[in-house]
Structure formats: C-alpha cells, structure tokens
Amino acid sequence: MSWTHRMTFGGTREDSSRYRRLFGISFGLIYLVFPVAEIVSGEVTGTKAVWAALSLIAFVVSYLATVLSPRNFREPSPSTYPLLALTITLAVGSALVFGSGWLSLPVYATVLFSMILPPRRAGLGILAMLAVVVGCGLLHDDDGTTIAILGLQVVTLGVLFIGVRNTRVLAQQLRDAQGEVARLAAADERLRIARDLHDLLGHSLSLIVLKSELAGRLAEDSPRALKEIQDIESVARQALTEVREAVTGYRQRSLPEELDNARSVLRAAGVEPLVRISGTPLPGLLDGLFGWAVREGTTNVVRHARARRCEIEVTYDGEHAILEIMDDGQGKEPFRLGSGLQGLTERVRGAGGTVELGPGARAGFRLRVLVPAGAAA
C-alpha cells in the first residue's frame, strides 16, 4: 500500500503531515511584516502599491501551495516543481522590483529549496538565493548591515532545514526498515512452523502408513480387521498429503506477496519502485516461479545497481507470461551472473522458458523472463 493511502485515526498520514507543515510555516510568515509595512505605511503608493499587494498575495498563495503539495521527503510529486518555480519567480521578481523590504522573500525560497530538494541541489539553490539577496540589496543601495543579516539568514536557515529534511528522511527509512524487519520475522516464523510441521507430523503420519501396511499383511486372514487397517492407511495417506500441501503453501511466496516485498525493499534502499501488472492472474506454477524471479531481480537491483528507479512489469495473456525488471542504475562494474540469478535461469529453463539479462535500452540493467503457459503447465 502506498504512503498516500496509509490511514490514521484522524485521517491519512499525508493529511496529518500537511497540517503539521501548515502549523510550522505559520510562524515563519511573520517576516512578511516588512513588505506589508511598506504597503500600509504608504512608502509604496499608487499603481505600484496595487501591484505590490497583488504580488504579495500571489507569493503567499504559491508558497503555501508549494509547502502543502504532496511529497514523501524523498521525492516530491510532479506538481511540486511548477509550484516551486512559480514561488521562486515571485520571490526574486518582487525583490528586484520593490526594494529592500522585499528581500525577505528569497529567504522563504531558501526554506523551500532545503525542504524539497536533495542536499546537493538544495545547496545550489541556497547559493542562488544568497546571490539574489546581495545583488538586489546592492541594486537598491541598501546598507551593508541589512544585506549581511539577510545573507546570514539565507545560509543559516538553508543549512538548518537541510538538516531537518535529512532527519525526516532518516526517520522514514528507519520506519521502513522496522516494517521490513517485522515482515522478515513473520516470514521466518512461517518457515519455522512449516519445518516443524513437516518434521514432526509428517514423520508420524509416514510411520502410521508404514505400520498400517505391515498390519494389513499380518491380518490378511481377518477380512474385518484388514478393512479397518486399510481405512487407517487411507486416512493417514490423505492426512500426509494435506500436510505436505500445507507446508508447500507456507514455504512458497506468491507473486503479489513478492511484489509487495519488492516495493518495501526498494523503498528502504532509496529506490523508487514502479509496478505494472496486465492480463489475467498467473496459474499456480507460474505464480511461484515469477515470485522467485521478482525476489532475485530485486535483490540484484538493491545490491549492485545503485539505481534511483526500478520498474517491474508482469504481463500474462493466457499464452505467455512475461516479467521485466528494469532499473536506471549507474553501476560501473560489468554485469555478473550470480548464483541467485543462475539458479533462477535454471528454474525458468526447466519450466520451458527463457531468461534475458543485460544492459537496458537507455541505462541500468534489464531482467526479462518469458515462460509459455503451455510449457509451464
């Protein structure tokens, strides 16, 4: 389940995060007192005052919309970037046109850079806003003390909020890691139960079957006893079959489970997953095989790809089942077929399918598994 749909008692987590952001930035809006004072005091008059008021209102609306736009601290939504660009344009333009009282607007832009962009790009944004403050201050003949104070605010607030953003990213990664640990613990417990069930109950039932066969041979002279013994043997064999089927179900992870696991693992590793499924549900054999392929392919991406994005696509049209895992990694080491992918290749070939491994069309690596439905059956 994606982060935008996780529910809390008071609504979605995203709604709660937006309320906290809104509460936090409400204190920072006090710096707008300087441009407001210029308009109210009459320092800016006539048409220029009207344009100043409209510019300030537009900046506040754009700033709030940017702050409240949906994001998960790792990567903003596509709608955030246009809003950020509009807010920066209004901040820089107002500082250039209206003078010293408006130099606080680039400080707000610095906060947005620090909270939205990764540290390296945020640092470039902070330097750009510092240049805007110094340049606009000199252009409007502001005193050096004012320029120095505002420049110091740009740098200190920028560094501060970069730290805040990094802390939140680390906290989110910790929550993801805790969830992954819990999931792995549950999976290990399932395997333990399956192993114990097979070792204990399976052994006992097998022994009952063997003893029933022996008793049946010894009781051939008594038809009634022979029939009862054969019934015991039949029930024991049926129970043994059901135990083995139950153990197989415990040990085998389905494709949907592996896709959910892949999303969690990739996000915990800082890789944005994109999963697409088309066609009808896979039959049992293909479901387990593709689940194994997703697990091995995802492990390969996390360990070797150094990717930022990974696409997983599953297609089944009733005749062919196709799995493709593509990443945008920039790893410089040559691709090597490890033991996991080697085992996967052997299993796929055993089911009558093919595996393609190698560089992607544009970047990164690509794993493609194709299995004919008839061969798998």
Side-chain angles (χ1 to χ4, degrees):
M1 183 176 292
S2 66
W3 62 273
T4 53
H5 292 88
R6 294 173 183 168
M7 300 300 293
T8 61
F9 290 108
T12 64
R13 290 185 180 178
E14 175 61 19
D15 289 339
S16 177
S17 176
R18 289 183 181 182
Y19 292 144
R20 289 196 301 268
R21 278 182 267 164
L22 182 60
F23 178 77
I25 65 173
S26 62
F27 294 100
L29 294 177
I30 191 174
Y31 286 99
L32 296 180
V33 68
F34 299 109
V36 170
E38 288 191 356
I39 299 173
V40 174
S41 65
E43 186 176 342
V44 180
T45 59
T47 305
K48 188 175 182 180
V50 175
W51 281 109
L54 293 176
S55 298
L56 185 60
I57 293 173
F59 172 80
V60 172
V61 172
S62 179
Y63 178 74
L64 294 177
T66 306
V67 170
L68 300 178
S69 60
R71 62 180 186 270
N72 62 354
F73 293 113
R74 287 198 186 120
E75 191 68 27
S77 66
S79 63
T80 301
Y81 290 109
L83 290 171
L84 178 62
L86 176 60
T87 306
I88 302 306
T89 301
L90 290 170
V92 175
S94 299
L96 284 171
V97 174
F98 300 114
S100 59
W102 299 72
L103 290 180
S104 59
L105 270 60
V107 178
Y108 289 97
T110 299
V111 173
L112 291 180
F113 280 137
S114 303
M115 291 300 293
I116 293 176
L117 301 179
R120 183 175 298 178
R121 285 186 284 171
L124 295 176
I126 292 171
L127 293 177
M129 290 303 102
L130 179 61
V132 168
V133 168
V134 174
C136 291
L138 295 176
L139 178 65
H140 294 287
D141 296 325
D142 292 321
D143 63 275
T145 303
T146 301
I147 296 175
I149 291 175
L150 288 172
L152 183 62
Q153 286 181 339
V154 167
V155 175
T156 54
L157 287 176
V159 173
L160 172 64
F161 280 98
I162 285 178
V164 171
R165 180 184 186 275
N166 288 340
T167 300
R168 291 185 175 180
V169 170
L170 290 175
Q172 182 61 48
Q173 290 176 340
L174 178 60
R175 285 193 291 269
D176 292 344
Q178 289 174 335
E180 182 63 15
V181 169
R183 187 199 63 78
L184 291 175
D188 289 342
E189 183 64 14
R190 289 174 55 177
L191 291 177
R192 186 191 67 80
I193 293 173
R195 183 177 60 251
D196 292 347
L197 186 64
H198 181 271
D199 293 344
L200 299 176
L201 190 55
H203 174 75
S204 299
L205 290 174
S206 298
L207 184 60
I208 292 174
V209 170
L210 292 175
K211 291 292 185 179
S212 298
E213 291 177 350
L214 177 60
R217 288 194 294 269
L218 296 176
E220 291 179 353
D221 296 336
S222 176
R224 178 66 184 274
L226 179 61
K227 181 179 181 305
E228 296 298 334
I229 292 174
Q230 289 175 343
D231 289 343
I232 293 173
E233 179 183 349
S234 176
V235 172
R237 288 186 183 276
Q238 179 64 28
L240 183 59
T241 300
E242 292 173 353
V243 167
R244 287 171 175 168
E245 289 176 351
V247 169
T248 302
Y250 269 108
R251 289 180 173 174
Q252 180 172 299
R253 297 285 299 277
S254 66
L255 177 61
E257 288 178 316
E258 289 296 345
L259 289 175
D260 288 340
N261 177 58
R263 291 187 183 97
S264 300
V265 171
L266 290 171
R267 288 197 180 103
V271 182
E272 184 64 28
L274 176 62
V275 179
R276 292 189 294 266
I277 303 176
S278 60
T280 57
L282 296 177
L285 176 61
L286 288 179
D287 187 86
L289 180 60
F290 273 37
W292 180 277
V294 168
R295 182 190 309 175
E296 293 299 332
T298 303
T299 301
N300 186 69
V301 171
V302 171
R303 288 182 177 176
H304 307 296
R306 285 183 278 179
R308 296 187 60 191
R309 181 183 178 91
C310 178
E311 299 182 17
I312 304 175
E313 184 172 358
V314 180
T315 306
Y316 181 61
D317 58 6
E319 297 182 0
H320 296 87
I322 301 174
L323 167 69
E324 286 189 306
I325 302 178
M326 298 162 286
D327 65 72
D328 63 350
Q330 302 297 324
K332 297 181 180 179
E333 298 181 0
F335 182 81
R336 296 177 180 178
L337 189 63
S339 58
L341 293 178
Q342 180 67 44
L344 172 64
T345 301
E346 294 174 356
R347 292 186 63 173
V348 171
R349 289 175 179 171
T354 58
V355 176
E356 297 179 15
L357 292 161
R362 291 172 290 182
F365 291 98
R366 171 175 170 266
L367 165 65
R368 185 175 189 269
V369 177
L370 185 149
V371 181

